[in-house]
Amino acid sequence: MALRLWASSTANALKLSSSASPAFTLSRSFSTVLEGFKYASSHEWVKHDGSVATIGITDHAQDHLGEVVFVELPEAGKSVSQGSSFGAVESVKATSDVNSPISGEVIEFNTKLSDSPGLINSGPYEDGWMIKVKPSDPSELESLMGAKEYTKFCEEEDASH
C-alpha cells in the first residue's frame, strides 16, 4: 500500500497518470550503450575486431520495438552496403528494416535468431548479434558515432518525440 501511495503521489508530482497496477514504473529507462562499439543513427551497432565486423541492433532500438518475434537475415556471401537495408526485425509492435552501418560481405549470420528471435531483446550486444561482415571499406567506421555521441543522439531523439 505504501508503494502505491508513493507511486500515486509521484505520478501526481510528475503529472503522470498512475495505473491501477501497484507495480508503477516510469515510462522509460535508459538504454545500455557499450564503449568500443560504433553506432549508426538508424540504431545499429558494429564491433570491428580484426578483419570481422559484427552487427546488430542497439539496446535502444530493441527497447522501442518491444518483443521481437521474427528476424529476417541475409545468407553468407551476400553483400551489404552502408546505410542500406540488409534484413528486418518483426516485433509485436511493428516490422522494421535493419540497415548496415558498413559495407562488406556477409560471412556469417546468427542462426540462433530463427528459433530464438527474443535474443535480440535479452542480449542485443551478445547473443542477439545479427550478422558478421568482412568490411570492404573499414574507413566507413569513422563516419559512425562512438558511445558518448550515440547516447546524446538517443537522448535528443527521445526528447523530440
Side-chain angles (χ1 to χ4, degrees):
M1 186 68 178
L3 174 64
R4 187 181 197 124
L5 291 173
W6 176 85
S8 181
S9 64
T10 302
N12 288 337
L14 296 173
K15 306 227 184 306
L16 299 172
S17 62
S18 63
S19 66
S21 168
F24 178 80
T25 58
L26 294 176
S27 63
R28 177 90 179 96
S29 62
F30 290 101
S31 300
T32 302
V33 178
L34 300 179
E35 291 288 340
F37 285 55
K38 291 290 196 169
Y39 300 90
S41 60
S42 51
H43 302 290
E44 293 84 17
W45 59 264
V46 59
K47 174 105 171 111
H48 190 237
D49 193 14
S51 63
V52 176
T54 304
I55 297 170
I57 66 168
T58 66
D59 187 39
H60 184 81
Q62 72 78 25
D63 184 54
H64 281 271
L65 283 170
E67 181 186 349
V68 175
V69 295
F70 180 76
V71 181
E72 180 185 328
L73 298 174
E75 305 259 333
K78 297 277 185 185
S79 292
V80 295
S81 298
Q82 185 178 41
S84 296
S85 174
F86 69 77
V89 174
E90 184 179 330
S91 73
V92 293
K93 294 181 182 178
T95 299
S96 300
D97 284 339
V98 182
N99 298 321
S100 186
I102 59 170
S103 303
E105 179 187 336
V106 177
I107 57 172
E108 186 180 348
F109 64 96
N110 190 344
T111 57
K112 291 180 186 177
L113 295 180
S114 59
D115 292 331
S116 303
L119 291 171
I120 289 175
N121 297 114
S122 61
Y125 302 113
E126 296 89 23
D127 293 337
W129 65 273
M130 301 176 103
I131 60 174
K132 293 189 179 189
V133 172
K134 181 180 179 184
S136 57
D137 184 0
S139 69
E140 288 177 338
L141 290 162
E142 296 167 20
S143 68
L144 302 173
M145 291 177 270
K148 288 179 183 164
E149 295 166 295
Y150 181 68
T151 299
K152 184 177 180 188
F153 174 82
C154 291
E155 289 169 352
E156 289 172 354
E157 187 179 72
D158 284 354
S160 70
H161 287 103

